[in-house]
Amino acid sequence: MQYLFKFKPTPEQLDERSQNTLTENLGIRFKEVGDDFLIATMPVDHRTKQPLGLLHGGASAALAETLGSVGSTLFIDTPNTYPVGLELNANHLKAVTSGVVTGKASPIKIGRTIHVWNIEIRNDSGELICISRLTVMLINK
């Protein structure tokens, strides 16, 4: 089943909304908003590496959760409801030491109270370096 976003902001609008947050601090930038997917990039630099010089798994997890959570906001048409991450699974498949990684989030299930996302993160060569599944719960403000 294909789910279509109810709202479709520009990547620039999403970047602006992310000012003064972890998203901005990690250098995450939105690149594309499709009908039912989001793409964002994150640099592999001093902000996102662990002491051994590798991309930190937590940075990949932050990219995945950012993509899925923001994606969920694009399905919500009730102003008193917002998404919160309920569970995140991340399998780190390949090390990255430099460059930029790109994440793509696609919905698996969009329900009234639970959204489930698939997030694939790839290196500059297009190799899969992390695959994640995020469950988002919708709660009332």
Side-chain angles (χ1 to χ4, degrees):
M1 173 176 215
Q2 183 179 15
Y3 301 100
L4 301 176
F5 289 139
K6 294 181 180 191
F7 305 99
K8 198 168 173 188
T10 66
E12 295 79 19
Q13 289 170 319
L14 293 176
D15 285 342
E16 183 177 317
R17 187 173 168 210
S18 299
Q19 290 181 354
N20 300 312
T21 68
L22 177 70
T23 301
E24 181 183 46
N25 288 325
L26 292 179
I28 296 170
R29 299 291 177 256
F30 290 91
K31 296 301 180 185
E32 186 176 351
V33 180
D35 289 335
D36 66 345
F37 67 88
L38 285 173
I39 294 176
T41 60
M42 182 177 66
V44 180
D45 64 15
H46 67 280
R47 297 169 289 180
T48 58
K49 287 182 181 181
Q50 43 102 312
L52 294 176
L54 305 173
L55 177 63
H56 194 294
S60 294
L63 175 58
E65 184 146 353
T66 297
L67 281 164
S69 294
V70 169
S72 283
T73 67
L74 304 182
F75 283 109
I76 300 171
D77 59 2
T78 307
N80 293 324
T81 303
Y82 63 98
V84 295
L86 186 62
E87 189 268 340
L88 175 67
N89 169 281
N91 290 292
H92 307 290
L93 307 173
K94 187 172 180 68
V96 180
T97 58
S98 63
V100 173
V101 293
T102 301
K104 180 178 181 179
S106 302
I108 296 170
K109 171 69 177 169
I110 300 299
R112 289 183 305 111
T113 58
I114 297 286
H115 295 176
V116 180
W117 291 87
N118 182 70
I119 303 100
E120 293 185 359
I121 301 174
R122 297 180 181 275
N123 64 14
D124 287 331
S125 300
E127 298 168 301
L128 188 62
I129 60 115
C130 180
I131 188 156
S132 296
R133 185 178 61 244
L134 173 68
T135 303
V136 174
M137 182 172 64
L138 305 180
I139 61 175
N140 293 322
K141 291 182 182 177

